[in-house]
Every structure is written in C-alpha cells, then in structure tokens.
Amino acid sequence: MREIRPNVYSVGAIDWDARLFDRLIPLPDGTTYNSYLVKGSEKTALLDTVDSQMTDVLVDNLIRLGVEEIDYVISHHSEQDHSGSLPEILVLHPEAKVVTNAKCKTMLQDLLEIEEEKFILVEDGQALSLGDKTLKFIHTPWVHWPDTMVTYLEEEKILFSCDFLGAHLACSNLFVDDYEVVYEAAKRYYAEIMMPFRSQVNSHLGKLDGLEIEIAAPSHGPLHDKPAFIIDAYKDWACDTVKNEVVVAYVSMHGSTAMMVSHFVEALIERGVKVRQFELSGVDIGKLAMSLVDAATVVIGCPTVLTGAHPVAAYAVFLANALRPKTRFASIIGSYGWGGRMVEQLGGMLSNLKAEILEPVIAKGAPKDDDFAALDRLADEILKKHKEIGIAQ
Ligand code: FEO
C-alpha cells in the first residue's frame, strides 16, 4: 500500500510469480493488479479490485489504511484480474455501490453474478463528486473489451486508465524508475492486448489529448509521473507508419526450410532491410507479437506436413492474424516433399491482415539454385515495396 497523492492510495497486489496470463500470454516478469483508493471529504471510492487469488492483499491494505466504509467501487473493466475480488469486497462492504457503464454492468453480472441493485450506471463524460474530489468517467470501449472505461481525478489530474497504457511487470517501485524495462514490458503488453484494437487506441488517445494528465495510473505495472512517455509510445505503436523491418518466423523439420530462411535473411540484410528472425518451435510469443508492432513485412517459413502447413507455423500465423498488426506485405517460403496445400492454408489464415501477398517461394525437397534465386527476387521485391512506401533508401 502506498500514497500517490494526499488521500489517493495504491492498494493493489504484486504478483511476482505469475508466468502465464489467460493460459496463453507469457509473463516473464510477473505482473501487478493495481487497485486505487480515493478518499474524498464526503465519500470514498475504490477503483477496481484485484485478481481473486490476491483478494487478501487488497483487503489487508484497506484494513491497514483504516478504511471502514467504501461508498463506490468503480469498475473500469469486468475482466477477472480486476473484478475477481469484487464479490468479496461487496460482502465486506455491503454499503458499496458498483459504479460502471452499462456494458460492464452486464458483463459483471454474467461473470460474477453481481446483484442488479448494486449498480450505479455512468455515461461517457459523467462526473461523480466525492466531496473535495471529483471523478470523471470517460468511456473507452475496446481497449480491450467492449466494456472498458477510464477515470480522470480532476483535482489531482490523475488518469486511472485500467489496462490501457499498462504493462505486465511486477515491481516494488510505485512509479516508473527504469524506462527501458518499462518500455519493453509496455510494448509487449500493447502487442498482445491492444494491437488488435489499434483504431480504437488511436481514437481514445485523441480523446485524452484534451486532458491535462500529471499521472497515468494503469491497472498493471508502475504508474507514470511523466505520462508523455507512455502516451507518445502508444501513439508511435498505433500510428499507420511501418518500419523498414521484416519479421521472418519459421519452423523447419529436416533443414530445407532453415536453409531457405538463412539465405533469405542474409539477402535482406545485404539490401539494408532490418530482420527479426524467430524459430517458432521454441518462440516466446510475446517477443514475436512485439516484432509485429512495427514491421512492414512478415514472411513465414514453413515445411509441409501431412499435406498441409506445419502445425507450429499454423499456430503462429493464427495468432499473428488475430493480433491484426499493421503489416503491409506478407509472403511464405518453405518446402514440400510430394505435394500439399501449405501455401493455400497459411495464406487463407492471414485474412485479417490488410497486407499485399508477395509471390511465395516453395522448394521441392532441399532448395536448389533456382530456389535461392527466387529468394533473392523476393528480397528485391520487398526492398522495392519498402521504397515505394518511403521507408527504405
Ligand atoms: Fe487486465 Fe483486460 O484485464
């Protein structure tokens, strides 16, 4: 428990040991479930709760602060890492009302069976007075669920942004102290959680432009007392501009695809194109997702298995498609033994990407001179495309 400003406290939990979120997303550095208490001269509000596994931490923090009554629990988002302790808090504080938007209310009822009479609904832009403190609610749907909203504490100029602007990073410091570490964690978080909703991210960033923000207080990771750092990073990640980079993600069974990848990556490097290469059977999907934030081009390297795509490559392509990166160009390289539909399968799985598909290069068996020449032509074509959109010399 820490004081952020007079009568504004951080009361959430640090989860040092968490290693996987949603049974999908790697958490190399754990995470935090931030919850905040705002004590006004007349009313007290708790902003979000914590994951149900850490309810005791939240409850202990409230006891240590001497909190006897909670008038409002502000729920920015119904996902259980922020709402999991809500039922317990409502038992301990039967006087509390849950303040949220209509969509979040429905989802809290679906997920946690919160009773109808507990809710107070707020509209976009509506304010709630705590006496000498005022909470203003700003609806920000789809960052990253349809229910998400943020709260601006007007007197202290604090933006409580929930998942938006957050980072999965367990740390003992209240505010960012190592910008390099936080940048990496926040970009990973953006890539995995926010990137599919890039247009909404841009729209909500525009909405926040009119606010004077002294502190950005997300629900994961450290707070930002220099909020321009994270807001500018989000603007960079979410803008339409791509970089002169190619992500080459591949798997190989007996070395043919690996030989092609090796030749192709060297060809790109010789042409002045930055490459990020990932071997998919042991990949950290968070790092792969991060690489997709900026890259102009993605190339999948895949062998043919049981007449189709290697399942490891198919998993990565499925994930990349779901993350909807701003990739402009894509292609496939790989090999086959006697036939198959690997290219058609993978190509069909990239439907969310608004990317131009460049001529794939597929070798029969081990790659020969013709195949290496085709890989050189693909590298030429990528450089040409990058030049056409003004990101390469
Ligand atoms: Fe941190 Fe969408 O929950």
Side-chain angles (χ1 to χ4, degrees):
M1 183 265 294
R2 272 81 52 91
E3 189 173 54
I4 302 169
R5 288 274 174 89
N7 290 317
V8 182
Y9 302 91
S10 174
V11 292
I14 306 172
D15 193 343
W16 299 98
D17 301 330
R19 285 296 172 266
L20 205 58
F21 193 84
D22 288 346
R23 310 308 297 169
L24 173 68
I25 296 169
L27 302 176
D29 301 305
T31 191
T32 66
Y33 311 109
N34 299 344
S35 171
Y36 301 100
L37 189 86
V38 180
K39 280 184 178 173
S41 56
E42 294 172 16
K43 304 283 187 185
T44 296
L46 180 68
L47 281 69
D48 289 320
T49 66
V50 299
D51 190 279
S52 62
Q53 294 180 35
M54 306 205 90
T55 299
D56 289 353
V57 177
L58 172 61
V59 170
D60 284 352
N61 283 339
L62 295 174
I63 290 170
R64 286 198 292 135
L65 262 178
V67 176
E68 291 178 354
E69 289 200 353
I70 293 174
D71 299 284
Y72 307 114
V73 181
I74 315 303
S75 181
H76 293 118
H77 173 33
S78 58
E79 192 164 10
Q80 293 91 327
D81 52 329
H82 310 295
S83 68
S85 305
L86 182 56
E88 182 71 18
I89 292 293
L90 293 178
V91 168
L92 294 172
H93 293 277
E95 72 284 0
K97 294 290 186 190
V98 180
V99 177
T100 191
N101 61 75
K103 188 68 186 175
C104 192
K105 173 195 161 190
T106 305
M107 296 183 76
L108 286 170
Q109 289 180 309
D110 290 344
L111 295 168
L112 300 168
E113 301 185 61
I114 308 291
E115 299 157 17
E116 177 77 26
E117 58 270 22
K118 286 289 180 188
F119 288 96
I120 295 174
L121 295 187
V122 288
E123 299 296 330
D124 185 29
Q126 192 172 331
L128 177 68
S129 175
L130 306 179
D132 61 349
K133 291 186 169 49
T134 312
L135 303 177
K136 185 177 177 187
F137 306 107
I138 302 166
H139 291 191
T140 51
W142 294 110
V143 291
H144 63 121
W145 279 13
D147 61 344
T148 42
M149 68 178 203
V150 301
T151 295
Y152 182 61
L153 174 54
E154 290 183 340
E155 291 76 7
E156 301 291 345
K157 300 181 173 55
I158 301 175
L159 181 75
F160 298 98
S161 59
C162 199
D163 282 342
F164 198 47
L165 313 179
H168 282 312
L169 180 65
C171 53
S172 59
N173 48 295
L174 182 59
F175 291 99
V176 174
D177 68 341
D178 185 330
Y179 283 88
E180 208 171 313
V181 168
V182 173
Y183 184 90
E184 178 95 359
K187 187 171 186 179
R188 177 184 277 263
Y189 189 88
Y190 168 85
E192 294 164 332
I193 308 289
M194 299 292 167
M195 188 160 65
F197 309 102
R198 197 168 62 87
S199 66
Q200 289 89 346
V201 167
N202 279 318
S203 156
H204 299 325
L205 286 171
K207 219 168 172 179
L208 299 183
D209 264 346
L211 289 181
E212 192 184 342
I213 301 170
E214 291 186 359
I215 294 174
S219 291
H220 297 291
L223 286 69
H224 296 267
D225 52 3
K226 296 181 179 65
F229 165 75
I230 189 67
I231 291 171
D232 289 348
Y234 259 63
K235 285 179 178 172
D236 178 43
W237 300 331
C239 75
D240 289 338
T241 310
V242 288
K243 295 186 176 154
N244 182 26
E245 294 178 11
V246 178
V247 172
V248 180
Y250 81 102
V251 62
S252 185
M253 296 192 300
H254 297 290
S256 295
T257 300
M259 286 167 65
M260 297 176 75
V261 165
S262 179
H263 181 96
F264 178 60
V265 165
E266 188 57 34
L268 288 169
I269 292 170
E270 284 171 1
R271 286 159 178 78
V273 179
K274 184 170 178 176
V275 179
R276 295 182 195 273
Q277 179 180 322
F278 297 91
E279 197 285 311
L280 291 170
S281 63
V283 74
D284 170 349
I285 59 169
K287 283 201 167 174
L288 178 61
M290 281 170 72
S291 74
L292 297 173
V293 170
D294 303 313
T297 299
V298 174
V299 175
I300 307 298
C302 184
T304 304
V305 184
L306 299 174
T307 73
H310 192 293
V312 166
Y315 173 74
V317 171
F318 179 87
L319 203 59
N321 188 56
L323 292 174
R324 297 173 182 263
K326 54 189 175 186
T327 310
R328 298 286 300 275
F329 312 103
S331 192
I332 299 164
I333 64 177
S335 67
Y336 69 101
W338 54 90
R341 299 179 52 252
M342 180 266 284
V343 169
E344 293 86 334
Q345 279 185 353
L346 292 182
M349 291 171 68
L350 289 171
S351 57
N352 284 344
L353 271 61
K354 295 182 175 62
E356 179 183 345
I357 304 294
L358 307 179
E359 183 69 29
V361 180
I362 308 300
K364 187 169 192 303
K368 320 290 186 308
D369 287 349
D370 285 356
D371 303 308
F372 291 126
L375 289 167
D376 290 338
R377 287 196 297 277
L378 179 58
D380 285 337
E381 183 68 6
I382 288 170
L383 178 61
K384 180 171 154 248
K385 294 289 181 185
H386 286 198
K387 284 180 177 172
E388 283 172 4
I389 62 171
I391 58 169
Q393 300 291 319

